[in-house]
Amino acid sequence: MAGWLFVLTLIAALVAVYRPFGDHMYRVVSGTRHSAVERGVYRLVGVDASAGQTWGVYARSVLAFSAVSILFLYAFLRVQDRLWLSLGLPAVGDHIAWNTAVSFVTNTNWQAYSGESTMGHLVQMAGLAVQNFVSAGVGIAVAVVLMRGFAARNAETLGNFLVDLTRITLRILLPLSVLFAVVFMVGGVVQNLSGGTDVTTLTGATQHITGGPVASQEAIKELGTNGGGFYNANSAHPFENPSAWTNWVQIFLILLIPFSLPRVFGRMVGQNRQGYAIAAVMAILALGSVALTVGFEIHGAGTVPQAVGAAMEGKETRFGVANSATFAAATTLTSTGAVNSFHDSYTALGGMMPMVNMMLGEVAPGGVGSGLYGMLILATITVFVAGLMVGRTPEYLGKKIQAREIKLASLYFLVTPLIVLGGTAAAFGTGNASTALNEGPHGLSEVLYAFTSAGNNNGSAFAGITVNTPWWDIALGLAMLLGRFLPLILVLALAGSLARRQPVPESDGTLPTHRPLFVGMVAGVTVVLVALTFLPALALGPLAEGLS
Amino acid sequence: MTTTLNDLIEVDPAPEPPAKPVKAGLLDPRQLLRSVPDALRKLDPRVMWRNPVMFIVEVGAVFTTVLSMAQPSLFAWLITIWLWLTVVFANLAEAVAEGRGKAQAATLRSARQDTVAHLTDGRDIAAPQLQQGDLVIVEAGQVIPGDGDVVEGIASVDESAITGESAPVIRESGGDRSAVTGGTRVLSDRIVVRITQRPGESFVDRMIALVEGANRQKTPNEIALNILLAALTIIFLLAVVTLQPLAIFSKAYQAAAPDTAALDGHGVTGIVLVSLLVCLIPTTIGALLSAIGIAGMDRLVQRNVLAMSGRAVEAAGDVNTLLLDKTGTITLGNRQAASFVPLQGVDPEVLAEAARLSSLADETPEGRSIVALAGGGDVPAPASAQWVPFSAQTRMSGVDLGGRRIRKGAASAVLKWAGVRDAEVDEIVDRISSGGGTPLVVAENDRVLGVIHLKDVVKPGMRERFGEMRRMGIRTVMITGDNPRTAAAIAAEAGVDDFLAEATPEDKIAYIRTEQQGGRLVAMTGDGTNDAPALAQADVGVAMNTGTSAAKEAGNMVDLDSDPTKLIEIVEIGKQLLITRGALTTFSIANDIAKYFAIIPAMFAAVYPGLDTLNIMRLHSPGSAILSAVVFNAIVIVFLIPLALRGVRYRPSSASRLLSRNLLIYGLGGVVAPFLGIKLIDLLIQLIPGI
Amino acid sequence: MRLPAWLAQHLAALRALLVLTVVLGLAYPLLMVGIGTLPGLSGRASGSIGPAGSTLIGQSFDDDSRYFQSRPSATGYDPAATGASNLGPESIVDTLGDDPSPSLLTQVCARSLAVGEREGVDGRRPYCTAEGVGAVLAVFHRDGFTGPVTRVVSVNQTGTPFLAVYQGVRVEPAENGVDYRALGAVITPVRGDAPSRPVVPADAVTASGSGLDPHISPAYAALQAPRVARERNLDLARVRELITEHTDGRTLGFLGEPGVNVLELNVALDGR
């Protein structure tokens, strides 16, 4: 009961901020007046704030920035032992450094390492957490470009990447991070530069209480749907997520931007109802998923949960089963991947749900930006099929959906299954699947989860599997890289294509894309076309385990 | 007293859309049989390659054939046979659709006999050697050797070979009825025709190519849909191929699991893997897609409309604005007398009689309608009557009966003739004009009796049709040469959304361009040479077959019945084509749900018995489940051929209502139907021993 | 000299990254560290450290019977290596032999038995043997999953099996290092007749996610209260009072689950 109230208050809070926060983001991404600080940044960077970029230039800008980021972060990790605040930790090994650099730049935040024993404070702050901001900024920027594509009339340019990135980071991500870092500190999240304190426990042993700039990183970790924990235990760690209410705040932060972006979309295309429709699709899928995840976990099927009497393995007392399962759903419905409980020990079907959430393409509501653009791609596919059914060349928001759009959209949703299923099959084909901790179907789930998480840039894991081998680090690194940038380029190309199109005026013959019927249809297409693709693989993993 | 037209005369009913029996939809089993050889010929991989979805099925069928020969079993052979049948059924759908066109083409070919052309310079050459610009003489009884324009003479022509209409039509030089078509026969008189076609590109040639689907090009939406289907196919191919290492791992882990026909130590057997793939990829729509396209063109041909490209048919479905000529399309061809308005103190009977007398010799439809309205048309005029015909100078006509001189005509002309000025007449004339009517003033000697109110008569049912158009989101625009006031009144009466008054050809083009700049697609009909630029500019330009060659060249469709209202039907056919594609795509995708539930437990329940929970249809055995899914997948193609050929039922309504209706039938139906179908087939198949 | 476009683009990207690193990677966290030193926040920002460690970080009380015991931890309450067991819901077959690794089920059974013994209550659980391992049989059928049973092994026991006979076949003890599933057995957990709501609560037999869970459930605290009172010669009611005092209820009545902060409770006990 309390568990449902927990969910209801989250919904209420998200509904309450939808308009004001969405409007704020809209003003940020559509405004043309720049603050003194922003102008200072532009001058330092050497960017002309008024110069628009075509989709191709924009894409190259994103890729250049990301490439530089990966190299920079890789180098940073490789030399951390020579830097300030390294806490005496050695340089990060080459394949883990590659994996981690890619992971944070792609907003995945898959962690092939254990934070407290690998990363010094400076790398956490100035390396990893910076990417928490900018990778989120990249996602939002690309989503905004797609919105501009829909809104534009015969336009070639779609904004300027570095300007978008700067404004989004400085006006949306940073202020909220400052606010919520303080909130988290109030809740007990640590924020210091200490290398740790040794304390004597009641029974006379010594315990090393760790320190670090955690609160500042925690805020952006959730807000930017990044998910990379300061500590290995992530949001299960009492220093990252000390109480039931900080847990609520974390889930709220995870969902805040993804669920408010449809408002920006609505404003951008001049029809708020279109934003409501997209938000509704997201909400339907999200609610269904949360209900199933919580339901499966509370039901507690499986030999060990039955023996225990509850699915409590890997869960914290202060969160309990329901709030843990809600977090698990939220973190995988978005591209966050933070965990406050360990999915590997979930019931078979309860543990399947996070996978299914990611397999949906992380669109309900998805990662910051990436969720919205993924959903718009699905909506575009739906418009195409539905549009034919009303007897017209399909059009979405007045833009005709024709061969080029369908080609880009089809490629978009070809990429993820290719990576996830191809990677999983490769792991089994090459024998690397044997690093799974658990055996049989659960071991298969660990492998499937790993590639699902990497390919969808989530970052959570069935963490029993050992993945800091060269093969896994490289394979998952590639999965993250391709899973992030191929779709992103396709989205930008789609934006470019849409922007050039002359909008068709709306009439009674136009397919309405804001009505419940269409909303239901997009949700249906998402489930049937996207999720069912993975059903055969799921059958041999969680379903085999859960239906025995 | 005013008498209304409708009280007195019966208006000709508007020509109904031609009630030719439309054969589409009725699928004759013999037609299926006749198409079998064609369907088999299409198994050639070089032909199949054009349809990636079915090509994959064919490759799969070859693969399972090899496997079945290597390791024969009843199950393997049954699957193989049904996979081949799936391909054949798809080819059959296309062959049947093409077959109907071929029958039509055969009729057309018979019209293209080897004729000899008699050139004006006296030479006789074979018709195929005619060049553009050649002048040929055609006399009564001869077949016109090529497409062209009549440059001299007038003749009645039998065009039944191409239009199917047996009544002869008049073709004459100059004007808008000058075009003649090769293969038609001159019945009377003699004409000289200037050939306008290039050799081998005659109208009939193009018609034949069209109905045979020989050079059928994929339309934009078809291309887009094909891309989507190809993407789905790749995704499912991927899902199936990558399943293998997982299956091998699972089988090895569950050492207790016995080898089955579906799964052994080497993973899922090839037969079952192919079955799963074929069931998941969108074969239903893949199989029927080209048949839907061909049938759509065919439906147009059956309504005597020739589309020069499939693109135009698709564009017709997208049309936002319909430009319709007022005369002949919205209104009956001519104005009719609607009422007599006598001046104060004039006996209505006197006015009516004067109007009647003045019009007795007037053979124009207007004149006849005046006589009809006045009544007593059978009372002949006095023998002494001296007729005064209408002339452009006088702008009136009438009769002199001894001392009685009666005139009717334009107000200014008649008033000047009578030498009077009358405020009351001006007032009546103004009122009629502003109401969209045409006032004819009637005067006897120097006394003005009253005014005849002539008005355009809107064809019955037009208002309702325009209402339908509006619900479909289509704006109707009336094109007329009338002045704006008259046009506005008729537009209001007919219920069109907009009108273009005093329209010149330039105005039409400008109007079309403006609409197109706003992103709208425009359709129009036209027949005259001066319509040609506008026809070319419009996205859908339907030329009347009676029109000039220029018009027919400029448009992208030709209506052989020359019925301007057919534009509305063309739009509906265009929409129906797209709806059919969308509906069957939805159906095809929705089908997958049931197939997953049939095949996945069948493959894997042997390894993980718990997965039998997914066998919600309670299918008899793994073998029967997989076979049932494959059989359903094949049979559903045959079941849907009639729908593909006939098109999804279309009633004009808003997009919202169309979507909910089609989603209910083809979406929900697509989810439910295979559950029932597969279960039913399974009930039969389990009777086969060994399955 | 003009740079090629691609180079200019990458240089701009690098400059942008450096500027943003200064703002987001140094200025922002250091500002927050600064804010964290403000009165009211400084205690929490530095780890909520009290007289005997951080009140947020769980400790092991080393089975010292005078103390309330924390939950099991996959990492022994070491903040330098946080994490969970990551064992799945069907982790029920132990690896026996020289390098043994107990299944999650056996861990649960063993913990339950130990807690039961420590607190003097019934430590039985479903799917657990009396000796505290998972009650799991490897059942061989003639035809794989079906057919008559031909052989039965109790996979987690090398000694006397928990069941003498299964479906008419004598149950054998397991041999070290043998994977009975790979030999074709069907792994079958046996529920047994333990109550479905065991006396030892769930959190007492499961490891947390962080390995640092500072809380136990009120039920687990209540279970331990008599023993602690006895060991400390305290009034049981007083101990229960202290439990209530250190129970964090659901925040606002609906967030999270109630938990007893073990360290605070034990400090309070010591402080008397």
Side-chain angles (χ1 to χ4, degrees):
Chain A
M1 203 45 237
W4 298 120
L5 207 55
F6 182 85
V7 175
L8 280 179
T9 50
L10 275 170
I11 297 171
L14 289 168
V15 168
V17 299
Y18 178 79
R19 276 183 63 166
F21 183 58
D23 288 348
H24 167 68
M25 287 198 287
Y26 171 71
R27 284 190 295 270
V28 171
V29 298
S30 60
T32 49
R33 288 176 47 186
H34 305 284
S35 68
V37 178
E38 285 156 357
R39 285 197 301 271
V41 172
Y42 303 151
R43 205 167 309 125
L44 282 174
V45 175
V47 59
D48 175 4
S50 60
Q53 296 175 316
T54 62
W55 80 262
V57 177
Y58 202 104
R60 282 195 290 279
S61 252
V62 171
L63 293 179
F65 183 78
S66 302
V68 167
S69 290
I70 290 175
L71 290 175
F72 180 81
L73 189 51
Y74 179 82
F76 206 158
L77 292 165
R78 298 289 286 151
V79 301
Q80 79 144 343
D81 54 329
R82 291 173 226 169
L83 301 172
W84 183 51
L85 284 175
S86 70
L87 311 180
L89 293 167
V92 181
D94 52 3
H95 54 87
I96 297 186
W98 139 264
N99 185 282
T100 306
V102 169
S103 168
F104 276 74
V105 172
T106 56
N107 198 253
T108 313
N109 302 39
W110 171 269
Q111 292 170 293
Y113 60 89
S114 164
E116 56 267 30
S117 59
T118 315
M119 300 296 171
H121 293 343
L122 186 65
V123 163
Q124 295 263 26
M125 291 190 315
L128 303 180
V130 169
Q131 287 304 323
N132 281 0
F133 278 98
V134 292
S135 68
V138 166
I140 298 174
V142 171
V144 166
V145 169
L146 183 58
M147 298 181 210
R148 287 180 186 144
F150 275 110
R153 307 172 68 91
N154 303 325
E156 282 296 328
T157 61
L158 293 158
N160 185 303
F161 169 63
L162 288 176
V163 171
D164 286 340
L165 180 67
T166 308
R167 290 176 63 95
I168 290 166
T169 348
L170 297 186
R171 293 191 188 215
I172 300 173
L173 301 175
L174 187 56
L176 280 173
S177 295
V178 170
L179 175 66
F180 281 96
V182 174
V183 169
F184 285 138
M185 278 192 255
V186 171
V189 178
V190 297
Q191 177 73 12
N192 55 54
L193 297 176
S194 151
T197 322
D198 284 336
V199 298
T200 307
T201 65
L202 273 188
T203 52
T206 303
Q207 196 181 28
H208 184 79
I209 303 296
T210 48
V214 181
S216 57
Q217 193 160 332
E218 200 65 17
I220 186 63
K221 173 187 109 180
E222 314 296 4
L223 185 65
T225 65
N226 296 284
F230 197 92
Y231 300 113
N232 188 47
N234 211 301
S235 282
H237 197 298
F239 276 174
E240 288 200 29
N241 193 3
S243 67
W245 72 259
T246 56
N247 190 47
W248 187 97
V249 173
Q250 295 207 344
I251 300 177
F252 172 75
L253 277 187
I254 286 173
L255 299 173
L256 174 61
I257 293 178
F259 260 125
S260 299
L261 275 174
R263 172 72 182 182
V264 184
F265 174 62
R267 289 288 304 268
M268 201 81 105
V269 300
Q271 292 183 49
N272 286 331
R273 57 192 191 180
Q274 300 290 351
Y276 287 118
I278 292 293
V281 180
M282 292 173 166
I284 288 171
L285 293 169
L287 279 175
S289 168
V290 168
L292 285 173
T293 315
V294 173
F296 285 137
E297 282 307 283
I298 291 202
H299 183 246
T303 310
V304 173
Q306 288 292 306
V308 171
M312 268 307 278
E313 180 71 19
K315 294 192 178 79
E316 301 284 300
T317 306
R318 61 190 180 284
F319 306 143
V321 173
N323 291 184
S324 296
T326 308
F327 194 108
T331 196
T332 49
L333 283 165
T334 60
S335 77
T336 311
V339 293
N340 77 348
S341 55
F342 279 69
H343 300 177
D344 214 349
S345 298
Y346 271 39
T347 62
L349 299 182
M352 177 178 73
M353 288 314 296
M355 267 190 266
V356 171
N357 290 341
M358 292 185 279
M359 286 164 177
L360 287 174
E362 283 176 0
V363 290
V368 288
S370 59
L372 185 75
Y373 64 65
M375 182 52 86
L376 289 178
I377 295 266
L378 282 165
T380 304
I381 298 272
T382 310
V383 160
F384 181 71
V385 177
L388 287 179
M389 271 200 289
V390 303
R392 283 172 72 97
T393 295
E395 62 214 38
Y396 190 29
L397 299 164
K399 302 288 183 147
K400 281 212 163 120
I401 306 301
Q402 292 193 317
R404 183 172 162 78
E405 287 75 21
I406 287 296
K407 193 191 297 168
L408 293 169
S410 295
L411 282 173
Y412 178 97
F413 81 117
L414 202 62
V415 169
T416 319
L418 184 75
I419 295 169
V420 172
L421 295 173
T424 307
F428 279 98
T430 57
N432 283 290
S434 62
T435 62
L437 171 71
N438 290 275
E439 56 173 11
H442 200 83
L444 191 147
S445 298
E446 286 181 359
V447 176
L448 181 62
Y449 197 117
F451 276 100
T452 307
S453 175
N456 285 288
N457 299 137
N458 184 272
S460 68
F462 267 12
I465 191 167
T466 303
V467 287
N468 55 2
T469 67
W471 189 88
W472 275 105
D473 277 332
I474 292 167
L476 292 178
L478 285 173
M480 293 186 275
L481 204 60
L482 299 175
R484 173 71 164 183
F485 292 107
L486 287 183
L488 188 146
I489 293 168
L490 292 167
V491 166
L492 289 174
L494 180 64
S497 169
L498 290 171
R500 279 196 294 269
R501 281 212 189 278
Q502 158 95 355
V504 181
E506 211 178 312
S507 74
D508 279 348
T510 311
L511 171 80
T513 50
H514 60 276
R515 301 253 173 89
L517 191 64
F518 182 76
V519 168
M521 200 174 165
V522 178
V525 164
T526 309
V527 171
V528 174
L529 223 51
V530 184
L532 279 186
T533 314
F534 298 96
L535 191 63
L538 288 173
L540 292 174
L543 286 173
E545 187 181 28
L547 297 177
S548 56
Chain B
M1 186 202 90
T2 56
T3 318
T4 64
L5 176 79
N6 291 335
D7 296 337
L8 296 169
I9 61 167
E10 236 185 84
V11 182
D12 287 342
E16 282 295 306
K20 283 185 190 155
V22 176
K23 297 163 299 209
L26 296 171
L27 187 65
D28 185 352
R30 275 173 306 175
Q31 205 176 359
L32 273 180
L33 275 181
R34 269 201 308 278
S35 303
V36 168
D38 276 337
L40 293 176
R41 261 195 296 280
K42 284 173 187 280
L43 287 175
D44 183 341
R46 286 165 301 179
V47 180
M48 290 301 296
W49 176 244
R50 277 171 55 92
N51 183 342
V53 179
M54 297 318 294
F55 181 73
I56 295 272
V57 181
E58 186 175 38
V59 171
V62 170
F63 183 56
T64 59
T65 309
V66 174
L67 290 178
S68 302
M69 287 193 292
Q71 277 187 316
S73 73
L74 179 63
F75 173 72
W77 278 114
L78 282 175
I79 292 280
T80 304
I81 289 169
W82 278 97
L83 290 181
W84 278 114
L85 284 176
T86 310
V87 188
V88 171
F89 289 163
N91 290 346
L92 200 58
E94 195 178 75
V96 169
E98 286 174 352
R100 301 150 148 243
K102 282 199 178 116
Q104 244 152 349
T107 325
L108 285 169
R109 277 211 181 83
S110 65
R112 204 181 48 173
Q113 302 154 344
D114 289 333
T115 44
V116 175
H118 310 285
L119 295 180
T120 45
D121 58 14
R123 285 182 299 140
D124 281 0
I125 61 172
Q129 281 156 15
L130 281 174
Q131 298 294 321
Q132 273 179 301
D134 283 349
L135 291 172
V136 296
I137 301 164
V138 193
E139 293 182 332
Q142 289 178 341
V143 171
I144 299 173
D147 301 349
D149 284 322
V150 179
V151 292
E152 194 185 315
I154 178 167
S156 62
V157 179
D158 172 12
E159 294 192 337
S160 60
I162 52 168
T163 62
E165 188 63 53
S166 55
V169 292
I170 300 296
R171 292 286 178 257
E172 58 186 324
S173 63
D176 288 346
R177 288 169 188 273
S178 60
V180 289
T181 311
T184 57
R185 184 178 296 272
V186 172
L187 294 178
S188 67
D189 304 292
R190 169 188 182 276
I191 48 176
V192 175
V193 175
R194 178 187 287 119
I195 298 299
T196 53
Q197 68 162 94
R198 272 184 286 273
E201 288 179 24
S202 76
F203 195 65
V204 174
D205 289 328
R206 278 190 289 169
M207 266 180 87
I208 291 171
L210 205 68
V211 294
E212 282 191 324
N215 49 3
R216 206 175 74 82
Q217 301 238 314
K218 289 203 173 105
T219 57
N221 277 314
E222 203 177 348
I223 293 169
L225 183 54
N226 258 315
I227 292 172
L228 181 66
L229 297 182
L232 286 176
T233 306
I234 296 171
I235 288 179
F236 288 123
L237 191 62
L238 199 74
V240 169
V241 169
T242 55
L243 191 57
Q244 196 64 303
L246 278 60
I248 294 171
F249 165 81
S250 304
K251 178 69 169 62
Y253 172 71
Q254 279 292 54
D259 286 354
T260 64
L263 184 65
D264 56 29
H266 305 293
V268 181
T269 58
I271 304 259
V272 173
L273 219 49
V274 171
S275 304
L276 175 66
L277 175 64
V278 169
C279 285
L280 292 184
I281 61 177
T283 48
T284 313
I285 178 68
L288 297 173
L289 191 55
S290 76
I292 293 170
I294 297 169
M297 295 291 272
D298 192 46
R299 274 197 296 283
L300 273 182
V301 172
Q302 307 229 3
R303 284 170 179 75
N304 267 350
V305 176
L306 292 183
M308 297 306 159
S309 72
R311 188 182 279 265
V313 185
E314 224 169 54
D318 285 349
V319 158
N320 303 84
T321 309
L322 274 187
L323 299 191
L324 298 167
D325 272 326
K326 182 197 79 174
T327 309
T329 308
I330 295 173
T331 62
L332 294 174
N334 303 291
R335 274 175 268 234
Q336 307 267 345
S339 60
F340 299 123
V341 188
L343 292 188
Q344 291 237 308
V346 176
D347 184 349
E349 296 292 330
V350 172
L351 172 61
E353 177 60 13
R356 187 184 79 86
L357 285 171
S358 69
S359 305
L360 274 173
D362 185 350
E363 280 303 310
T364 63
E366 287 87 352
R368 273 177 287 163
S369 77
I370 293 170
V371 176
L373 182 64
D378 44 351
V379 180
S384 63
Q386 292 272 314
W387 305 111
V388 180
F390 178 86
S391 82
Q393 282 78 38
T394 60
R395 286 160 58 224
M396 55 189 182
S397 61
V399 64
D400 290 345
L401 295 163
R404 287 181 76 187
R405 296 191 304 147
I406 305 172
R407 295 290 184 274
K408 72 166 199 295
S412 54
V414 175
L415 288 175
K416 193 175 158 202
W417 172 79
V420 293
R421 298 191 59 82
D422 190 322
E424 195 190 351
V425 174
D426 291 347
E427 189 255 323
I428 295 171
V429 163
D430 272 357
R431 194 169 37 141
I432 291 174
S433 296
S434 62
T438 307
L440 288 182
V441 176
V442 180
E444 182 170 347
N445 298 340
D446 55 358
R447 180 178 173 221
V448 176
L449 298 175
V451 185
I452 307 170
H453 181 176
L454 289 180
K455 66 188 274 190
D456 273 307
V457 180
V458 174
K459 289 184 183 174
M462 290 318 281
R463 186 170 256 286
E464 289 68 35
R465 288 210 102 160
F466 294 142
E468 279 176 2
M469 293 282 121
R470 204 166 298 118
R471 279 195 294 283
M472 287 156 65
I474 296 173
R475 280 175 76 241
T476 43
V477 179
M478 183 182 83
I479 309 276
T480 171
D482 293 340
N483 65 52
R485 271 202 337 202
T486 310
I490 298 170
E493 189 182 344
V496 294
D497 297 301
D498 195 5
F499 62 88
L500 188 59
E502 291 171 349
T504 63
E506 293 73 32
D507 291 341
K508 287 193 207 175
I509 295 185
Y511 193 95
I512 294 172
R513 289 222 172 103
T514 318
E515 289 288 297
Q516 287 172 334
Q517 267 153 23
R520 299 181 185 85
L521 260 59
V522 182
M524 72 167 284
T525 56
D527 51 6
T529 301
N530 57 16
D531 283 334
L535 279 172
Q537 179 72 35
D539 302 279
V540 178
V542 182
M544 301 294 102
N545 192 42
T546 52
T548 59
S549 298
K552 281 156 84 173
E553 283 292 326
N556 42 22
M557 291 189 200
V558 176
D559 178 16
L560 299 176
D561 297 334
S562 304
D563 169 12
T565 57
K566 204 176 277 171
L567 196 48
I568 296 171
E569 275 176 77
I570 293 172
V571 168
E572 292 182 358
I573 289 173
K575 285 194 177 295
Q576 199 184 25
L577 179 67
L578 296 181
I579 292 175
T580 308
R581 279 193 203 133
L584 289 182
T585 304
T586 309
F587 184 84
S588 198
I589 293 170
N591 270 204
D592 277 3
I593 299 174
K595 293 173 190 166
Y596 276 115
F597 282 100
I599 297 186
I600 288 180
M603 283 196 300
F604 296 136
V607 182
Y608 298 117
L611 288 179
D612 199 46
T613 318
L614 296 179
N615 179 9
I616 51 178
M617 286 174 269
R618 306 316 314 162
L619 302 177
H620 174 68
S621 71
S624 76
I626 294 167
L627 191 54
S628 303
V630 171
V631 170
F632 174 83
N633 197 51
I635 286 184
V636 79
I637 295 173
V638 179
F639 269 90
L640 290 174
I641 289 178
L643 182 71
L645 297 184
R646 188 184 62 228
V648 166
R649 203 159 61 90
Y650 173 70
R651 277 218 210 99
S653 50
S654 71
S656 275
R657 296 193 45 182
L658 274 176
L659 181 64
S660 29
R661 180 173 174 277
N662 290 327
L663 201 55
L664 188 71
I665 298 176
Y666 299 98
L668 199 60
V671 173
V672 175
F675 278 104
L676 301 176
I678 292 175
K679 177 68 187 169
L680 215 61
I681 296 169
D682 181 73
L683 288 174
L684 293 174
I685 280 181
Q686 58 178 279
L687 302 176
I688 303 174
I691 295 293
Chain C
M1 191 189 80
R2 265 187 83 80
L3 292 170
W6 68 269
L7 189 58
Q9 213 157 29
H10 282 76
L11 283 177
L14 181 61
R15 283 194 297 270
L17 179 63
L18 292 176
V19 170
L20 289 171
T21 300
V22 170
V23 176
L24 307 168
L26 295 174
Y28 158 65
L30 294 178
L31 170 72
M32 300 321 293
V33 168
I35 293 176
T37 59
L38 296 177
L41 278 181
S42 62
R44 295 178 229 204
S46 55
S48 309
I49 294 180
S54 169
T55 55
L56 290 179
I57 302 291
Q59 294 183 3
S60 166
F61 296 94
D62 296 326
D63 286 332
D64 185 330
S65 57
R66 294 175 309 126
Y67 289 117
F68 281 88
Q69 298 298 312
S70 301
R71 292 178 67 182
S73 162
T75 61
Y77 285 97
D78 177 7
T82 59
S85 76
N86 285 311
L87 291 167
E90 301 301 328
S91 167
I92 58 176
V93 178
D94 301 348
T95 306
L96 305 171
D98 301 334
D99 186 15
S101 122
S103 65
L104 181 55
L105 179 61
T106 288
Q107 292 184 31
V108 165
C109 295
R111 289 164 184 162
S112 191
L113 190 71
V115 172
E117 277 170 10
R118 193 180 68 210
E119 311 300 344
V121 296
D122 180 3
R124 289 184 303 146
R125 305 193 91 78
Y127 301 107
C128 289
T129 69
E131 62 179 70
V133 298
V136 182
L137 299 178
V139 180
F140 290 84
H141 294 265
R142 192 192 58 200
D143 312 316
F145 291 118
T146 51
V149 175
T150 55
R151 184 187 173 200
V152 184
V153 181
S154 172
V155 288
N156 294 337
Q157 294 177 293
T158 48
T160 316
F162 64 94
L163 203 62
V165 174
Y166 179 80
Q167 294 197 358
V169 177
R170 191 185 66 85
V171 179
E172 309 165 19
E175 284 176 50
N176 286 342
V178 178
D179 182 352
Y180 291 97
R181 189 195 307 263
L183 295 178
V186 178
I187 300 300
T188 313
V190 178
R191 191 192 174 288
D193 54 1
S196 58
R197 299 195 60 176
V199 182
V200 178
D203 60 311
V205 297
T206 50
S208 64
S210 60
L212 299 175
D213 196 340
H215 294 99
I216 57 176
S217 66
Y220 189 26
L223 187 73
Q224 300 187 56
R227 187 237 323 147
V228 172
R230 195 171 59 242
E231 292 288 326
R232 291 183 175 258
N233 290 317
L234 280 174
D235 189 9
L236 180 58
R238 178 60 195 143
V239 174
R240 286 190 175 140
E241 239 172 65
L242 282 172
I243 292 176
T244 316
E245 266 175 45
H246 293 95
T247 302
D248 303 328
R250 286 186 170 128
T251 318
L252 303 173
F254 67 91
L255 297 173
E257 297 290 338
V260 180
N261 188 305
V262 192
L263 178 62
E264 286 181 359
L265 175 60
N266 283 336
V267 166
L269 281 167
D270 274 2
R272 271 183 58 88

